[in-house]
Amino acid sequence: MFDWEYAQTPEQTSWIASSWANNFTYDPDQGGFSDGNLLSIDQRGFAHLIKAEAAEFLHKEQLVLNVTVKAVKYSHDGVTVKLVNGTTLSADYAIMTFSLGVLQNDDVKFEPALPPWKIEAIESMTMATYAKIFLQFPKKFWFDTQYALYADRERGRYPVWQSLDIAGFFPDSGIVFVTVTGDYSQRIEALPDSQVQEEVLGVLRAMYPNITIPEPEAFYFPRWFSDPLYRGSYSNWPSSFVRDHHKNLRATLQRRLWFTGEAMSQKYFGFLHGAYFEGEATGHSVADCIAHGGCPGLPHVEQVRNAAPYVFN
Ligand SMILES: Cc1cc2nc3c(=O)[nH]c(=O)nc-3n(C[C@H](O)[C@H](O)[C@H](O)COP(=O)(O)OP(=O)(O)OC[C@H]3O[C@@H](n4cnc5c(N)ncnc54)[C@H](O)[C@@H]3O)c2cc1C
């Protein structure tokens, strides 16, 4: 279950950091929200929250969508962003929300190149992969609960199953999905759909040896690790990643280029609410910066020398 939540094994994970993310999220005594961990099937998707908030203040002409950033040039005076369609945008400040996985790749060029302390911080955290594989069958033949676990000799092999063909979700849909995380999910992302489907059906046959499993009518496997806009699902905090690494991950460059998103959240890294609160805090910081005609930005340390005690703001 650890691998399922953090998308990596306990050996690959800082236990203290994963405990913060868990307790600050699920334990009301630690300031967490609740111990409920619910699957939302709201068909409007996450984007609805952002769109509804944006509708309160943002005008269409202020927004550019569906075009990727190719290069980011930053200096003491401001930031210039080059888009793949040739457009150039310049501003006094820029807030970057690329995932840790995107920052770890060379999809976006930085000018000047990122300083060594920033690169060390980016490379020291892990972008983990959490993959859901959906199958639709003519009719349900599996468990009547929401969840089922499959135990295999090999770690990570199609372990957590969730039925959507159940009251409260999509009854009579014939849909079931399995979640695969960590190294195993990266392995299967490299395989064609047909091979992954065959492996998944093999596991279902092992789970239900007395049932003739039909071919699925539909198969859907989003590949987050291979997607150049994500390069993984969410960040995980390894034990070798210490406080000053995280400080450097969040630190502003030249007082102008700000980094935000889920990986920058000390309390809620990996979670959607980490992205939300971190983005909100960065937005306020930059607004203050503009209002006061400048600001030092978030600081960094040149060299990470020790694992100093953690403090929370
Ligand atoms: C399968 C899956 C299940 C998850 N389950 C949960 C869960 O149950 N609970 C939970 O709290 N969290 C969950 N998460 C994690 C959660 O979705 C993320 O933490 C959150 O979406 C991160 O938000 P973000 O804004 O930091 O980054 P992102 O959502 O990655 O946003 C970054 C944006 O930058 C864009 N971008 C990237 N590169 C470029 C470029 N070159 N040019 C322009 N734009 C670019 C991307 O398209 C994207 O829109 C899950 C994630 C996945 C993939």
Side-chain angles (χ1 to χ4, degrees):
M1 294 310 284
F2 187 99
D3 299 23
W4 182 62
E5 183 73 22
Y6 294 98
Q8 286 203 294
T9 63
E11 292 78 9
Q12 293 169 312
T13 305
S14 158
W15 290 14
I16 186 169
S18 58
S19 302
W20 303 325
N22 183 80
N23 295 346
F24 288 132
T25 295
Y26 295 116
D27 185 351
D29 293 339
Q30 303 290 326
F33 306 95
S34 87
D35 61 2
N37 189 3
L38 306 177
L39 175 70
S40 168
I41 53 163
D42 189 321
Q43 295 300 288
R44 295 171 300 180
F46 281 155
H48 176 70
L49 298 172
I50 310 294
K51 284 180 183 164
E53 286 203 354
E56 290 176 10
F57 64 92
L58 199 66
H59 301 290
K60 260 196 170 156
E61 61 276 12
Q62 294 174 299
L63 198 59
V64 180
L65 291 173
N66 299 322
V67 55
T68 45
V69 172
K70 170 166 95 167
V72 177
K73 195 172 173 182
Y74 60 97
S75 74
H76 278 300
D77 300 323
V79 181
T80 301
V81 170
K82 280 187 199 154
L83 307 180
V84 285
N85 64 5
T87 308
T88 299
L89 304 167
S90 293
D92 291 340
Y93 298 91
I95 301 176
M96 233 169 39
T97 70
F98 302 144
S99 71
L100 178 72
V102 168
L103 292 174
Q104 286 175 341
N105 278 272
D106 56 3
D107 303 307
V108 180
K109 302 273 175 265
F110 289 91
E111 222 187 301
L114 296 177
W117 56 264
K118 181 62 99 177
I119 294 173
E120 182 185 331
I122 289 169
E123 296 301 333
S124 299
M125 205 178 190
T126 311
M127 189 67 175
T129 303
Y130 181 101
K132 292 177 179 177
I133 304 167
F134 297 83
L135 299 116
Q136 185 167 32
F137 290 95
K139 81 182 197 0
K140 172 172 167 277
F141 57 82
W142 51 86
F143 47 95
D144 293 323
T145 48
Q146 186 188 346
Y147 286 92
L149 290 179
Y150 166 71
D152 195 278
R153 286 181 196 283
E154 190 175 357
R155 189 172 193 129
R157 191 159 184 273
Y158 307 104
V160 182
W161 291 77
Q162 284 170 262
S163 178
L164 292 181
D165 194 332
I166 188 172
F169 293 95
F170 299 111
D172 299 323
S173 63
I175 300 176
V176 65
F177 69 93
V178 58
T179 300
V180 180
T181 64
D183 297 345
Y184 204 90
S185 64
Q186 294 180 7
R187 178 188 86 79
I188 62 171
E189 279 211 14
L191 304 177
D193 270 4
S194 55
Q195 197 173 335
V196 177
Q197 180 174 316
E198 223 16 73
E199 288 190 8
V200 173
L201 290 179
V203 167
L204 278 173
R205 285 185 203 110
M207 289 166 76
Y208 297 100
N210 300 324
I211 294 175
T212 305
I213 312 276
E215 284 297 301
E217 289 174 339
F219 177 89
Y220 180 50
F221 174 22
R223 287 171 168 77
W224 295 97
F225 179 64
S226 324
D227 188 329
L229 293 177
Y230 297 92
R231 304 276 186 200
S233 303
Y234 47 84
S235 66
N236 190 34
W237 189 305
S239 49
S240 56
F241 188 74
V242 296
R243 192 182 80 170
D244 283 345
H245 282 132
H246 200 246
K247 185 178 197 171
N248 285 354
L249 189 65
R250 303 175 79 229
T252 316
L253 289 178
Q254 304 280 17
R255 305 181 175 200
R256 298 288 178 170
L257 182 59
W258 291 69
F259 292 71
T260 199
E262 61 82 9
M264 314 299 154
S265 171
Q266 191 178 348
K267 280 185 169 178
Y268 313 113
F269 63 90
F271 287 109
L272 182 71
H273 43 281
Y276 186 90
F277 291 132
E278 202 58 28
E280 189 178 45
T282 308
H284 283 301
S285 299
V286 173
D288 281 350
C289 221
I290 294 167
H292 295 106
C295 62
L298 297 180
H300 73 273
V301 293
E302 274 307 314
Q303 283 196 323
V304 176
R305 291 179 190 277
N306 61 47
Y310 291 99
V311 281
F312 287 95
N313 299 317

